[in-house]
């Protein structure tokens, strides 16, 4: 019992914890995989939009048909239909600008002004303006008005929208789902392990002398091999204890007869030695005989005690089932029974 009590709860708690972790871990991995798939999907859409922006750059450059005046203070533009569709689809999320070689705005939004690219390759970057994150492409091109820089900005970048909505659309729902799943899995694991806990409590409630077999049919199928092993162990211990009891009983029976004869002989010697006149040699012999008488008495008492112990063990091999006892009532009854005798002493 001392070995079972500290070990069983720890083992059960560890098994329950491992089951919960093993069942919840795939959900966490699936949530992370879902977030990664969402991001990859947003990234693919964003790459398609980047390609669409690059395709619109030549059309925007071709929309320039000349200078508004000889001083180059403006541009004459005839927007191509795709450019008009891009700018008209979302006025708050689409912008353009055309810059001269020095980076001054000739047409379009002024916040898109900046140094022109050093090459004729398109350059992408993201920039925040008035609370919106824009995906911006810049490219130097040759037009009828000379060398210009075409700038297109798209405020519907899926990657930026994904990063803004990751908390409420990805992480928070997955966190709620994992939390609810953890409670559900924990409840299910507790219910599944309840027969194992009942078996542990049944073993803990046993008396150290109770070596009867555990009911295998009341245990889960997965635990029956363990119950069978425990029953075999109980049987072996019971056989060993029974052998020890028989040995003690047989030894006590075998010793009683010769010890009784020896004690009777020693008692006779002691009486004869004590009845002789007081002489130094006789007194010494009487003391030795009295010591031998005391030793034989102790040996006989020990043999009787061994026999009584063997009989007591045999009676306690079939213990009564445990039952609840009112400790207060038991103490009152015991005190009332022994109070008179105690007062008299």
């Amino acid at each position: 019992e001392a070995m079972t009590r500290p070990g069983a709860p720890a083992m059960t708690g560890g098994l329950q914890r491992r089951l919960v972790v093993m069942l919840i871990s795939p959900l966490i991995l699936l949530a992370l995989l879902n977030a990664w798939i969402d991001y990859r999907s947003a990234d693919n859409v964003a790459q398609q939009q980047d390609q669409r922006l690059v395709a619109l750059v030549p059309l925007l450059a071709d929309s320039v048909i000349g200078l508004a005046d000889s001083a180059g203070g403006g541009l004459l533009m005839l927007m191509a239909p795709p450019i008009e569709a891009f700018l008209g689809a979302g006025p708050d999320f689409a912008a353009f600008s055309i810059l001269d070689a020095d980076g001054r705005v000739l047409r379009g939004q002024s916040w898109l002004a900046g140094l022109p690219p050093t090459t004729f390759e398109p350059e992408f970057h993201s920039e925040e303006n008035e609370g919106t994150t824009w995906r911006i492409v810049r490219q130097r091109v040759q037009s009828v008005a000379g060398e210009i820089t075409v700038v297109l900005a798209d405020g519907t970048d899926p990657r930026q929208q994904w990063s803004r909505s990751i908390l409420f659309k990805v992480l928070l729902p997955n966190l709620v789902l994992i939390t609810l799943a953890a409670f559900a899995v924990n409840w299910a694991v507790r219910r599944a392990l309840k027969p194992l806990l009942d078996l542990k409590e049944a073993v803990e409630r046993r008396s150290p002398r109770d070596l009867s077999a555990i009911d295998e049919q009341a245990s889960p199928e997965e635990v029956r091999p363990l119950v069978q092993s425990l029953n075999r162990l109980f049987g072996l211990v019971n056989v060993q204890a029974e052998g020890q009891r028989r040995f003690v009983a047989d030894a006590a029976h075998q010793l009683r007869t010769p010890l009784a004869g020896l004690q009777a002989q020693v008692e006779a010697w002691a009486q004869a030695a004590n009845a002789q006149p007081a002489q130094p040699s006789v007194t010494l012999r009487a003391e030795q005989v009295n010591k031998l008488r005391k030793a034989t008495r102790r040996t006989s008492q020990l043999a009787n005690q061994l026999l009584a112990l063997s009989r007591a063990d045999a009676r306690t091999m079939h213990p009564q089932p445990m039952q609840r006892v009112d400790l207060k009532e038991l103490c009152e009854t015991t005190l009332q029974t022994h109070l008179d005798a105690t007062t008299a002493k």
Side-chain angles (χ1 to χ4, degrees):
E1 184 177 3
M3 293 177 61
T4 304
R5 182 165 297 172
M11 180 189 66
T12 306
L15 179 60
Q16 177 178 337
R17 185 167 53 252
R18 286 195 296 271
L19 286 175
V20 172
V21 170
M22 292 175 64
L23 293 174
I24 293 297
S25 296
L27 295 179
I28 297 176
L29 294 177
L30 289 176
L32 295 177
L33 180 61
N34 182 32
W36 181 80
I37 292 176
D38 289 343
Y39 179 78
R40 293 298 303 171
S41 176
D43 187 62
N44 292 333
V45 175
Q47 290 179 1
Q48 294 177 3
Q49 289 191 352
D50 288 349
Q51 295 174 2
R52 183 166 68 97
L53 285 177
V54 171
L56 290 176
V57 167
L59 297 178
L60 182 59
D62 294 340
S63 298
V64 178
I65 59 177
L67 295 173
D69 51 46
S70 58
L75 293 176
L76 294 177
M77 298 188 66
L78 181 61
M79 292 294 184
I83 298 297
E84 289 184 349
F86 169 73
L87 296 176
D92 296 333
F93 297 98
F96 81 99
S97 183
I98 297 179
L99 313 177
D100 60 10
D102 296 327
R104 292 190 301 268
V105 177
L106 301 177
R107 189 75 176 268
Q109 281 75 13
S110 59
W111 63 272
L112 292 175
L115 295 177
T118 58
T119 65
F120 286 92
E121 296 296 326
E123 294 182 358
F124 285 94
H125 73 280
S126 298
E127 181 178 336
E128 185 174 352
N129 181 62
E130 296 181 355
T132 302
T133 302
W134 299 80
R135 185 65 172 173
I136 302 173
V137 58
R138 299 174 183 268
Q139 186 174 8
R140 292 171 57 187
V141 295
Q142 291 289 341
S143 68
V144 296
E147 185 177 303
I148 59 175
T149 299
V150 178
V151 183
L152 279 175
D154 185 2
T156 60
D157 186 8
R159 285 170 299 199
Q160 304 301 326
Q161 294 179 355
W162 183 89
S163 61
R164 288 195 301 268
S165 63
I166 185 174
L167 177 62
F168 297 102
K169 292 185 178 180
V170 179
L171 293 182
L172 188 59
N174 287 332
L175 181 61
V176 173
L177 178 62
I178 292 174
T179 303
L180 295 177
F183 281 106
V185 168
N186 189 38
W187 177 82
V189 169
R190 284 179 177 272
R191 295 289 299 176
L193 293 180
K194 189 177 184 302
L196 186 60
L197 296 176
D198 294 340
L199 176 62
K200 182 263 297 184
E201 293 177 358
V203 174
E204 284 187 349
R205 287 195 303 265
R206 280 176 168 248
S207 169
R209 296 181 180 274
D210 186 5
L211 299 177
S212 59
I214 301 174
D215 186 9
E216 297 181 8
Q217 300 301 323
S219 303
E221 183 177 356
E222 293 78 7
V223 189
R224 287 179 185 175
L226 175 61
V227 175
Q228 293 173 358
S229 299
L230 288 175
N231 289 337
R232 284 195 296 269
L233 177 61
F234 290 160
L236 293 175
V237 175
N238 193 15
V239 170
Q240 183 180 9
E242 182 64 27
Q244 292 178 351
R245 284 190 298 272
R246 285 198 303 268
F247 172 77
V248 172
D250 293 343
H253 277 293
Q254 295 296 329
L255 289 174
R256 288 185 68 186
T257 301
L259 284 176
L262 177 60
Q263 185 176 0
Q265 186 65 40
V266 171
E267 291 289 346
W269 290 347
Q271 291 178 1
N274 293 330
Q276 292 182 3
Q279 297 180 1
S281 58
V282 175
T283 302
L284 180 59
R285 187 165 54 250
E287 292 178 355
Q288 294 175 348
V289 172
N290 289 330
K291 291 181 180 179
L292 180 60
R293 180 173 62 177
K294 292 179 181 180
T296 54
R297 286 179 178 178
R298 287 195 300 268
T299 306
S300 298
Q301 183 182 6
L302 177 60
N304 292 329
Q305 289 176 344
L306 288 176
L307 185 58
L309 176 63
S310 176
R311 292 172 179 173
D313 287 341
R315 286 194 298 269
T316 57
M317 278 307 296
H318 304 286
Q320 296 296 326
M322 298 184 66
Q323 58 184 353
R324 189 175 298 276
V325 176
D326 188 346
L327 185 59
K328 180 175 180 295
E329 181 181 356
L330 177 63
C331 292
E332 291 177 351
T333 303
T334 305
L335 289 175
Q336 185 178 3
T337 302
H338 298 284
L339 181 60
D340 295 337
T342 305
T343 304
K345 292 182 179 181

